[in-house]
Amino acid sequence: MPTADTSPASSRSTVITNIGTLVTNDPSLGAGPLGPVHDAALALEGDRVVWTGTTSEAPATDSHVDAGGRTVIPGFVDSHAHLLYAGDRTDEFTARMAGRPYTAGGIRRTVAATRRATDADLADRLAAHLREMLRQGTTTAETKSGYGLTVTDEARALRIARGMTDEVTYLGAHVVPPEYADAPDAYVALVTGPMLDAAAPHARWIDAFCERGAFDADQARAVLTAGAARGLTPRLHANQLGPGPGVRLAVELGAASADHCTHLTAADIAALADSGGRTVATLLPGCEFSTRSPYPDARGLLAAGAVVALATDCNPGSSYTSSLPFCIAVAVREMGMTPDEALWSATAGGAAALRRTDIGRLTPGARADLVLLDAPSPVHLAYRPGVPLVTMVWRAGRRVV
């Protein structure tokens, strides 16, 4: 494979020509939400896309890449992942495959291992996960705290994460740690008080696990409301293990996303649709694949007009995949999404869940995050599951794969 470009982004312009299919996610440029342009070209300058069109009209630039008739898509946007932790839970996976149901109880094992880890250990693992994602075309990744659950451990996790990604979420309300097992309300007071004080300077988002065995609706509301008062935007783990109030609470509070959405009622779907895209339904098919749970009703959400994102939920317990191409294939095969819908949800949908307009699309002014696939069509992401189709990756105008 050719080496990545390490020259300064500000000194460089590049044109990519002979693109068989360019996915822009701009319906004004081509049919459907993907806005495909055929026999296309794309010009980058610095960290931005500056031009799209056909190869015959391509402008002169400092450098040139011939796509050879292959497909170019926006970089994947993974809007839900848990990448900062220590330890291993392969035994739980083995037990699930033998028939034991998933209950989320193993989170406390990861908490214990993470508390014992050094800062260097945590940073090395996070960096390794981000590199792994990048090789698979993910150019923007969100990650959360939630495996420390003390003031010191949550703050250090967020500080480490903020050094590697802008999309950092404070998840002190992941589960109640053992030392607060008999005093959950006291733990909520810690999460919304001293822990929030330590976390807020390092995070953009605040999250809670609104689920039986974790935090109820009143507790989750208190956490998200306190975070919003400190300038953090809410998002919410909702309706993963069973029906519950999480989805409608997320909509009520104007959360950027309701994540999981595995068990939805008609009222939940209507609430997400009626939010007008303000609250995105983020679906995590890797989790259902790994836990053998029912898949979310993607078709019902799309038919109602809800905005849908796909993300990996990469974490050591319930979804240890960092591959959005894999999640696209599962969403198409198991959730009834079309290949176009799944790709849009893993790019523009993820950007919407992060309330970003500069990523998830390839139009002038967008950040130059793009992926060259060794395929004549983006449908191959679902058509050829498990095949490493990502050939080159640019992030912020610099070739990194």
Side-chain angles (χ1 to χ4, degrees), residues 60 158 192:
L158 293 164
T192 57

Side-chain angles (χ1 to χ4, degrees), residues 63-83:
S63 62
H64 169 239
V65 175
D66 187 334
R70 293 173 292 181
T71 296
V72 170
I73 64 172
F76 295 122
V77 180
D78 194 338
S79 60
H80 183 124
H82 303 249
L83 305 177

Side-chain angles (χ1 to χ4, degrees), residues 327-385:
C327 292
I328 286 171
V330 174
V332 171
R333 172 64 179 83
E334 301 292 345
M335 290 160 52
M337 298 181 81
T338 69
D340 284 4
E341 289 168 341
L343 176 55
W344 189 94
S345 295
T347 51
L354 294 176
R355 293 190 173 165
R356 297 276 296 271
T357 59
D358 61 326
I359 57 176
R361 61 187 177 92
L362 291 176
T363 54
R367 198 171 80 173
D369 293 355
L370 56 140
V371 176
L372 176 65
L373 299 176
D374 189 13
S377 160
V379 175
H380 281 231
L381 288 164
Y383 180 44
R384 305 195 69 204

